Amino acid sequence: MANPIASGDHPLSGAAMIWFGPLTGTHYADEADILIYGAATGVAPYFLSSCDVDGDGIPEVSIGEPAYSGAFRTQGAVLVFAGPVVGGTSLIDAAEIIEGQTEADQLGSST
């Protein structure tokens, strides 16, 4: 789940939140098992998937950040965090970054 107005190292940087199940009842953002904060104000991450992408048997977490700007403005990116991912972390801690190819690609967005 994404929270676009969460604040980590930067105000309103957003966060992707993960809860381990099974879940029942009401839960709150500050109870998430894993929080991954955006790298800058107004650059909220979107949670995309959790699966083993490197074949070591431990799931990685992939986060989309459509407002990411590298070589191009708002090219977007998918950031992969090596598993196991625990506790709070930041998008700058990603093990791999897959960037959009042109300005305004917004790679990492979801519908």
Side-chain angles (χ1 to χ4, degrees):
M1 170 177 291
N3 179 350
I5 61 169
S7 295
D9 293 337
H10 305 280
L12 302 177
S13 58
M17 299 168 289
I18 301 170
W19 289 265
F20 300 127
L23 298 175
T24 59
T26 302
H27 298 274
Y28 300 95
D30 63 355
E31 299 171 343
D33 294 300
I34 298 173
L35 287 167
I36 300 176
Y37 291 104
T41 299
V43 183
Y46 292 78
F47 176 72
L48 293 180
S49 70
S50 175
C51 63
D52 182 16
V53 297
D54 62 8
D56 67 357
I58 301 170
E60 281 68 47
V61 173
S62 298
I63 303 289
E65 187 176 6
Y68 174 91
S69 295
F72 303 102
R73 194 170 79 76
T74 64
Q75 70 193 69
V78 174
L79 298 97
V80 180
F81 296 83
V85 177
V86 295
T89 190
S90 174
L91 293 178
I92 61 173
D93 298 324
E96 298 290 334
I97 300 175
I98 303 163
E99 297 181 345
Q101 292 183 312
T102 63
E103 184 172 341
D105 268 356
Q106 296 185 330
L107 182 70
S109 59
S110 60
T111 56

